[in-house]
Amino acid sequence: MSEEPKKRVELTERKAASPFGLPMEAVITADDLHGWDPERELGYPGEFPFTRGVYPTMYRGRLWTTRQYAGFGTATESNERYRYLLAQGQTGLSVAFDLPTQIGMDSDHVLALGEVGKVGVAIDSLEDMQALFDGIPLERVSTSMTINSTAAILLALYVAVAKKQGANLQRLAGTVQNDILKEYVARGTYIYPLRPAMRIVTDIFAWSRREIPNWNPISISGYHIREAGSTEVQEVAFTLANGIAYVEAAIAAGLSVDDFAPQLSFFFNAHNELLMQIAKFRAARRLWARAMRDRFHAHGVRSMMLRFHAQTAGSALTAQQPENNLVRVALQCLAAVLGGCQSLHANALDEALALPTEQAVLLALRTQQIIANETGVVNTVDPVAGSYAIEKLTNEIESGAQEYISKIDAMGGMLRAIEVGYVQQEIQKAAYEYQKAVDSGEQVVVGVNRFQAEEERPIPTLRLDPAIEREQVGRLNALRARRDTSKTKAALAEIERRARGSENLMPAILAAVEVYATVGEISDALRRAFGEYQESVVI
């Protein structure tokens, strides 16, 4: 008796593909997986290739860390927000720094005018860092710091505060982003030329391994690549290509892969397309595990794990009908959880308009808590495994990302691909195609190009007092007047001397912040040795 042929549904009503071209058939079956082997491609949670998660019990054993990215105005104001969030059940801190701090300028620099405390907290010195974490025992809280060009300085400031608190440095836990490569392709807060900047990254690796072994010395970030307009495939490909470049640089600097790889961490974007996001996280884990085993011959299980933080998509937030952002963020958080994140930040509904209010941040935190405690998705490890649609998308994202990585390898690696503008061009093309789809109405954005409101209702937003900048500059000037200038000058000279040689920079930077050298002064010492990066225009 012959079997009846499988029935296929013809989808003619609307386009059945993502905005970035990965097709979605109306019905997906095992036949669409083309030789897919669950033993090889899935395995078990906590086992190679970690498709189903990096830990055997995942959220049955421990929930992800809830982090609300926060920082604005002065260190004292941000400290109040941190303590409020911790009291509301947040389990880790995530620090946002203002633009002058990110690009190594003190608050009284002429180019810092109007930017002090605006998109994050202003940190000039150890005094500011002490105020930021006042009353927060660093030995007992996990902290993530989104900082790149000045990562070495902010990490030294954090350690200096911990030392003043009497903390055991061996127990400090958290992450410093320290992902300089994505700054050149997607974000722009770079200072130094590419290769000296990579030297700072590997100096942080080596020093952290000795001094703060439980600290993650890098968070290799796809988040900003996706925010710049990349596709999901590009986000995975370029993030992992950056990761490969960091591993190669660390090995070239004399580090053993199994010594530093267990402390590498990643940072991805949780965007709108639910199934695509879940598949993206799974594909990234599998691709990284294979790269670490087969390319770098890592032996330790932890060396092959891709542990990641996720943040919901800032670029998906709309100023129109901002209440809709609550729905977007909830679904993006759900995708991150179903995709197996280790920590998660939920954006606030008002962030397309201003820095978030306390009430908006609380709603974002409650979104994570509802998913964790009311939905039941945490009760089984990897509930989406074996879904034909999820597994097909996972295969396609992995394959597409590997193709990009192979192209980058053929060009001579990620540093060369950035120097010639290849990565930047690919992201720009994807962003342009997406915006065309939005402008034509092919890609619907609710409240923007369809389902608009006749009359928008204003919502409360946070407004910073302009006096904050004057007060910050006043505190900085007072610090300079009372510190021991001779000690500060000697510490800065030692940083410059090391930068012109090959000694690790971190001990000198830590010594400098402890005698109250400022972020701008230390950055300038490195500028004198390294020079500054000049971007080549890519069109």
Coordinates of all heavy atoms in Angstrom, one line a residue, residues 491-538:
A491 N 52.9 58.4 37.8 CA 52.1 57.3 37.4 C 51.7 57.4 35.9 O 51.8 56.4 35.2 CB 50.8 57.2 38.3
L492 N 51.4 58.6 35.5 CA 51.1 58.7 34.0 C 52.3 58.5 33.2 O 52.2 57.9 32.1 CB 50.5 60.1 33.8 CG 49.2 60.4 34.4 CD1 48.8 61.9 34.3 CD2 48.1 59.6 33.8
A493 N 53.5 58.9 33.6 CA 54.7 58.7 32.9 C 55.0 57.2 32.8 O 55.5 56.7 31.7 CB 55.9 59.4 33.5
E494 N 54.7 56.4 33.8 CA 54.9 55.0 33.8 C 54.0 54.3 32.8 O 54.4 53.4 32.1 CB 54.7 54.4 35.2 CG 54.8 52.9 35.2 CD 56.2 52.3 34.8 OE1 57.1 53.0 34.6 OE2 56.2 51.0 34.7
I495 N 52.8 54.8 32.7 CA 51.8 54.2 31.7 C 52.4 54.5 30.3 O 52.4 53.6 29.4 CB 50.4 54.9 31.8 CG1 49.8 54.4 33.1 CG2 49.6 54.5 30.6 CD1 48.5 55.1 33.5
E496 N 52.8 55.7 30.0 CA 53.4 56.0 28.7 C 54.6 55.2 28.4 O 54.8 54.7 27.2 CB 53.7 57.5 28.6 CG 54.0 57.9 27.2 CD 54.2 59.4 27.0 OE1 53.8 60.2 27.9 OE2 54.8 59.9 26.0
R497 N 55.5 55.0 29.4 CA 56.7 54.2 29.2 C 56.3 52.8 28.8 O 56.9 52.2 27.8 CB 57.5 54.2 30.4 CG 58.9 53.5 30.3 CD 59.6 53.3 31.6 NE 58.9 52.3 32.4 CZ 59.0 50.9 32.2 NH1 59.7 50.5 31.2 NH2 58.4 50.1 33.0
R498 N 55.4 52.2 29.5 CA 55.0 50.8 29.2 C 54.3 50.7 27.8 O 54.5 49.8 27.1 CB 54.0 50.3 30.3 CG 54.7 50.0 31.6 CD 53.8 49.3 32.6 NE 54.5 49.0 33.8 CZ 54.3 47.8 34.5 NH1 53.5 46.9 34.0 NH2 55.0 47.6 35.6
A499 N 53.5 51.7 27.5 CA 52.8 51.7 26.2 C 53.8 51.7 25.1 O 53.5 51.1 24.0 CB 51.9 52.9 26.1
R500 N 54.9 52.4 25.3 CA 56.0 52.4 24.2 C 56.8 51.2 24.1 O 57.6 51.0 23.2 CB 56.9 53.7 24.4 CG 56.1 55.0 24.2 CD 57.0 56.2 24.3 NE 56.3 57.4 24.3 CZ 55.8 58.0 23.2 NH1 56.0 57.4 22.0 NH2 55.1 59.2 23.3
G501 N 56.6 50.3 25.1 CA 57.3 49.0 25.2 C 56.3 47.9 25.1 O 55.3 48.0 24.3
S502 N 56.6 46.8 25.8 CA 55.7 45.7 25.7 C 55.2 45.2 27.0 O 54.5 44.2 27.1 CB 56.4 44.5 25.0 OG 57.6 44.2 25.7
E503 N 55.5 45.8 28.1 CA 55.0 45.4 29.4 C 53.5 45.6 29.6 O 52.9 46.5 28.9 CB 55.7 46.2 30.6 CG 57.2 45.9 30.7 CD 57.8 46.9 31.7 OE1 57.6 46.6 32.9 OE2 58.4 47.9 31.3
N504 N 52.9 44.7 30.4 CA 51.4 44.8 30.6 C 51.1 46.2 31.2 O 51.7 46.6 32.1 CB 51.0 43.7 31.5 CG 49.5 43.5 31.5 OD1 48.7 44.4 31.9 ND2 49.0 42.3 31.1
L505 N 50.1 46.8 30.6 CA 49.7 48.1 31.0 C 48.8 48.1 32.3 O 48.8 49.2 33.0 CB 48.8 48.8 29.9 CG 49.6 49.1 28.6 CD1 48.6 49.4 27.5 CD2 50.5 50.3 28.8
M506 N 48.2 47.1 32.6 CA 47.2 47.1 33.7 C 47.8 47.4 35.1 O 47.2 48.2 35.8 CB 46.4 45.8 33.8 CG 45.4 45.6 32.7 SD 44.1 46.9 32.7 CE 43.4 46.7 34.3
P507 N 48.9 46.9 35.5 CA 49.4 47.3 36.8 C 49.7 48.8 36.9 O 49.4 49.4 37.9 CB 50.7 46.5 36.9 CG 50.5 45.3 36.0 CD 49.7 45.8 34.9
A508 N 50.2 49.4 35.8 CA 50.5 50.8 35.8 C 49.2 51.7 35.8 O 49.1 52.7 36.5 CB 51.3 51.2 34.6
I509 N 48.1 51.2 35.1 CA 46.9 51.9 35.1 C 46.2 51.8 36.5 O 45.7 52.8 37.0 CB 45.9 51.3 34.0 CG1 46.5 51.7 32.6 CG2 44.5 51.9 34.1 CD1 45.8 51.0 31.5
L510 N 46.3 50.7 37.1 CA 45.7 50.5 38.5 C 46.4 51.5 39.4 O 45.8 52.2 40.2 CB 45.8 49.1 38.9 CG 45.3 48.8 40.4 CD1 43.8 49.2 40.5 CD2 45.5 47.3 40.7
A511 N 47.8 51.5 39.3 CA 48.5 52.4 40.2 C 48.1 53.9 40.0 O 48.1 54.6 40.9 CB 50.0 52.2 40.0
A512 N 47.9 54.2 38.7 CA 47.5 55.6 38.4 C 46.2 56.0 38.9 O 46.0 57.1 39.5 CB 47.6 55.8 36.9
V513 N 45.2 55.1 38.8 CA 43.9 55.5 39.3 C 43.9 55.6 40.8 O 43.1 56.4 41.4 CB 42.8 54.5 38.8 CG1 42.7 54.5 37.3 CG2 42.9 53.1 39.4
E514 N 44.7 54.8 41.5 CA 44.8 54.8 42.9 C 45.4 56.1 43.5 O 45.2 56.5 44.6 CB 45.5 53.6 43.5 CG 44.7 52.3 43.3 CD 45.4 51.1 43.8 OE1 46.7 51.0 43.7 OE2 44.7 50.2 44.4
V515 N 46.2 56.8 42.6 CA 46.7 58.2 43.0 C 45.9 59.3 42.3 O 46.3 60.4 42.2 CB 48.2 58.3 42.8 CG1 49.0 57.4 43.6 CG2 48.5 58.1 41.3
Y516 N 44.7 58.9 41.9 CA 43.6 59.8 41.4 C 44.0 60.5 40.1 O 43.5 61.6 39.8 CB 43.3 60.9 42.5 CG 42.7 60.3 43.7 CD1 43.5 59.9 44.8 CD2 41.4 59.9 43.7 CE1 43.0 59.3 45.9 CE2 40.8 59.3 44.9 CZ 41.7 59.0 45.9 OH 41.1 58.4 47.0
A517 N 44.7 59.8 39.2 CA 44.8 60.2 37.8 C 43.4 60.0 37.2 O 42.7 59.0 37.6 CB 45.8 59.3 37.1
T518 N 43.1 60.8 36.3 CA 41.7 60.8 35.7 C 41.7 59.9 34.4 O 42.7 59.6 33.8 CB 41.2 62.2 35.4 OG1 42.0 62.7 34.3 CG2 41.3 63.1 36.6
V519 N 40.4 59.6 34.0 CA 40.2 58.8 32.8 C 40.8 59.6 31.6 O 41.5 59.0 30.8 CB 38.7 58.6 32.6 CG1 38.4 58.0 31.2 CG2 38.1 57.7 33.7
G520 N 40.6 60.9 31.5 CA 41.2 61.6 30.4 C 42.7 61.7 30.4 O 43.3 61.6 29.4
E521 N 43.3 61.8 31.6 CA 44.7 61.9 31.7 C 45.4 60.6 31.3 O 46.4 60.6 30.6 CB 45.1 62.3 33.1 CG 44.8 63.8 33.4 CD 44.8 64.1 34.9 OE1 44.9 63.1 35.7 OE2 44.8 65.3 35.3
I522 N 44.8 59.5 31.8 CA 45.4 58.2 31.4 C 45.2 57.9 29.9 O 46.1 57.4 29.2 CB 44.7 57.1 32.2 CG1 45.1 57.3 33.7 CG2 45.2 55.7 31.8 CD1 44.3 56.4 34.7
S523 N 44.1 58.3 29.4 CA 43.8 58.1 27.9 C 44.8 59.0 27.1 O 45.3 58.5 26.1 CB 42.4 58.5 27.6 OG 41.5 57.7 28.3
D524 N 45.1 60.2 27.6 CA 46.0 61.0 26.9 C 47.4 60.5 26.9 O 48.2 60.6 25.9 CB 46.0 62.4 27.5 CG 44.8 63.2 27.1 OD1 44.1 62.8 26.1 OD2 44.5 64.2 27.7
A525 N 47.8 59.8 28.0 CA 49.1 59.2 28.1 C 49.2 58.1 27.0 O 50.3 58.0 26.4 CB 49.4 58.6 29.5
L526 N 48.2 57.3 26.8 CA 48.2 56.3 25.8 C 48.1 56.9 24.4 O 48.7 56.4 23.5 CB 47.0 55.3 26.1 CG 47.1 54.5 27.3 CD1 45.8 53.8 27.6 CD2 48.2 53.5 27.3
R527 N 47.4 58.0 24.3 CA 47.3 58.7 23.0 C 48.7 59.1 22.5 O 49.1 59.0 21.4 CB 46.4 59.9 23.0 CG 44.9 59.6 23.0 CD 44.1 60.9 23.0 NE 42.7 60.7 22.9 CZ 41.9 60.7 23.9 NH1 42.3 60.9 25.2 NH2 40.6 60.5 23.8
R528 N 49.5 59.6 23.5 CA 50.9 60.1 23.1 C 51.7 58.9 22.6 O 52.6 59.1 21.8 CB 51.5 60.7 24.4 CG 50.9 62.1 24.7 CD 51.8 62.8 25.8 NE 51.7 62.2 27.1 CZ 50.8 62.5 28.0 NH1 49.9 63.3 27.8 NH2 50.9 61.9 29.2
A529 N 51.5 57.7 23.2 CA 52.3 56.6 22.8 C 51.7 55.9 21.5 O 52.5 55.5 20.6 CB 52.3 55.5 23.9
F530 N 50.4 55.8 21.4 CA 49.8 55.0 20.3 C 49.3 55.9 19.1 O 49.1 55.3 18.0 CB 48.6 54.3 20.9 CG 48.9 53.2 21.9 CD1 48.0 52.9 22.9 CD2 50.1 52.5 21.8 CE1 48.3 51.9 23.8 CE2 50.5 51.6 22.8 CZ 49.5 51.2 23.8
G531 N 49.0 57.2 19.4 CA 48.3 58.0 18.4 C 46.8 57.7 18.4 O 46.3 57.0 19.3
E532 N 46.1 58.3 17.4 CA 44.6 58.1 17.4 C 44.2 57.5 16.1 O 44.9 57.7 15.0 CB 43.9 59.5 17.6 CG 44.1 60.0 19.0 CD 43.2 61.2 19.3 OE1 42.0 61.1 19.5 OE2 43.8 62.4 19.2
Y533 N 43.1 56.8 16.1 CA 42.6 56.1 14.9 C 41.9 57.2 14.0 O 41.1 58.0 14.4 CB 41.6 55.1 15.3 CG 40.9 54.4 14.1 CD1 41.6 53.5 13.3 CD2 39.6 54.6 13.8 CE1 41.1 52.8 12.2 CE2 39.0 53.9 12.7 CZ 39.7 53.0 11.9 OH 39.1 52.4 10.9
Q534 N 42.2 57.1 12.7 CA 41.5 58.0 11.7 C 40.7 57.1 10.8 O 41.2 56.2 10.1 CB 42.6 58.7 10.9 CG 43.5 59.6 11.7 CD 42.7 60.7 12.4 OE1 41.8 61.3 11.8 NE2 43.1 61.0 13.6
E535 N 39.4 57.3 10.9 CA 38.5 56.4 10.1 C 38.6 56.7 8.6 O 38.6 57.9 8.2 CB 37.0 56.6 10.6 CG 36.0 55.7 9.9 CD 34.6 55.9 10.4 OE1 34.3 57.0 11.0 OE2 33.8 55.0 10.2
S536 N 38.6 55.6 7.8 CA 38.5 55.8 6.4 C 37.0 55.7 6.0 O 36.3 54.9 6.5 CB 39.3 54.7 5.7 OG 38.8 53.4 6.1
V537 N 36.6 56.6 5.2 CA 35.1 56.7 4.8 C 34.8 55.5 3.9 O 35.5 55.2 3.0 CB 34.8 58.0 4.1 CG1 33.4 58.0 3.6 CG2 35.1 59.2 5.0
V538 N 33.7 54.8 4.3 CA 33.2 53.7 3.5 C 31.8 54.0 3.0 O 30.9 54.3 3.7 CB 33.2 52.4 4.4 CG1 32.7 51.2 3.6 CG2 34.6 52.1 4.9

